[in-house]
Amino acid sequence: QVEAHSSATDCWIVVKGRVYDATSWLDDHPGGAGAILAHAGSDVSDEFELIHSSRAWGVLEKYYVGDVIGAVGSTDMNGGIDGDASDYYTLGVESGTKSVTKTALSRSVKRSFKLLEKKELSHDVRLFRFGLPSPDHELGLPTGNHIFLHAEVEGEEETVVRPYTPTTNNNQLGYFDLVIKVYFANAHPRFPNGGLMSQHLNGIKIGDRIEVKGPFGHIEYQGRGAFQIAKQRTNAAHVGLICGGTGITPAYQMIQTALRDDSDETCFYLLLANQTEDDILLRSDL
C-alpha cells in the first residue's frame, strides 16, 4: 500500500522496515522537496543511511506511521524474479501499437548483474561492463539519474552502498558500462583506507555479480532542452555543468543524450576540475 502514497500531497517512504509520512516535511527538507518526491512510495533505507546524519534520523521519527508487513519481492542470483513481473517490464508505445520494453532496474528490489568485461583504462581507472538479463533488455535509467551499487566488503560489518552513473544510455541493450576511478588504500594520507567500493570492484572477476538498485535522482534530461525536476517540467537553451573529477559521468551521459539527437540544439558548458591531467576521466571521449 505504500506505493500508493507517492505524490506531493501524500508522500510516504520506507526506511528499515518502518513507514514514514514525509508530506509535511517536504517544504522544510534541506535537500529540497524533489529529493524526497523522487523516492516517494518506495523503500529508501540504503539511500537514507548513506547520506544522512544522526540528527536526520531523529527528525525522521517524528513522521513515523507504522511498520511494513510482508516483503516486496526479490531477485535470485541468475537475474530472475519472484516478485511482480510488472516491476521488471514496462509498456511502451510504438506506431500506435503496444510493445514491451524490458527494463532491468528496480527501485524497490536489488537486481543482480554479472560482470562480462573489465578493462584497465589507466593505472587507476577501470571500465566495468555488466550484462543485463537478456540482449533485449535496457537498463531503465533516465538521463540524469543514478544507480546505487551494493556490496558485502570484507572487514565491513554493514553493506557498502555507493552511487554511480553509467556511461551508457538506455539506447544500449544487453549491458551497461561503469567507468570508475579506483581509490587504492595508502595512496592518499587523508584517506588511508581508500575507496571501499572502488577497491571491491577492482577485485571482482569475470562472472562475479554486483547488486544494483535504481533509478534514483530528481533531475531527468528528456532531450531538446527539456528537464523534469521532481514533478515539474522546465526548459533551458543553455545548460552549465560543473563537475569535480569523477563527477564527470552524469554530465557525460547528459551530453551523450543531446549529441545523439540531431534536433537537440541545447548548448552545454562544462567546467571540470581534476588534481592532474592524468586524473581526467573519459578525456578522449570528451
Side-chain angles (χ1 to χ4, degrees), residues 34-55:
I36 300 178
L37 288 171
H39 307 285
S42 66
D43 188 321
V44 295
S45 301
D46 295 322
E47 295 75 23
F48 190 93
E49 192 168 33
L50 179 66
I51 63 176
H52 286 88
S53 65
S54 57
R55 179 181 177 277

Side-chain angles (χ1 to χ4, degrees), residues 16 45-51 110 147-153 158-164 196-197 211-213 216:
K16 299 291 185 182
S45 301
D46 295 322
E47 295 75 23
F48 190 93
E49 192 168 33
L50 179 66
I51 63 176
K110 285 181 283 189
I147 57 177
F148 278 98
L149 270 59
H150 301 245
E152 302 301 326
V153 176
E158 298 185 353
T159 300
V160 175
V161 183
R162 295 290 186 273
Y164 289 98
L196 295 177
M197 182 63 80
E211 291 190 319
V212 179
K213 284 178 69 176
F216 295 105

Side-chain angles (χ1 to χ4, degrees), residues 62-161:
K62 299 177 182 178
Y63 304 97
Y64 171 74
V65 294
D67 295 333
V68 174
I69 299 175
V72 176
S74 62
T75 60
D76 62 31
M77 293 307 291
N78 293 315
I81 315 168
D82 60 13
D84 184 357
S86 64
D87 194 36
Y88 205 58
Y89 300 99
T90 57
L91 288 176
V93 177
E94 291 184 5
S95 303
T97 60
K98 288 186 176 180
S99 63
V100 176
T101 300
K102 301 178 181 179
T103 58
L105 283 176
S106 169
R107 287 172 56 180
S108 59
V109 181
K110 285 181 283 189
R111 303 293 193 206
S112 173
F113 301 106
K114 182 187 296 185
L115 181 66
L116 302 179
E117 187 177 346
K118 181 166 67 173
K119 290 183 180 180
E120 186 172 302
L121 303 184
S122 74
H123 72 284
D124 61 356
V125 177
R126 310 286 184 266
L127 183 148
F128 300 90
R129 177 162 293 176
F130 292 94
L132 299 178
S134 81
D136 298 324
H137 273 80
E138 64 177 32
L139 183 58
L141 183 72
T143 300
N145 282 199
H146 58 272
I147 57 177
F148 278 98
L149 270 59
H150 301 245
E152 302 301 326
V153 176
E154 185 177 355
E156 296 298 313
E157 294 183 0
E158 298 185 353
T159 300
V160 175
V161 183

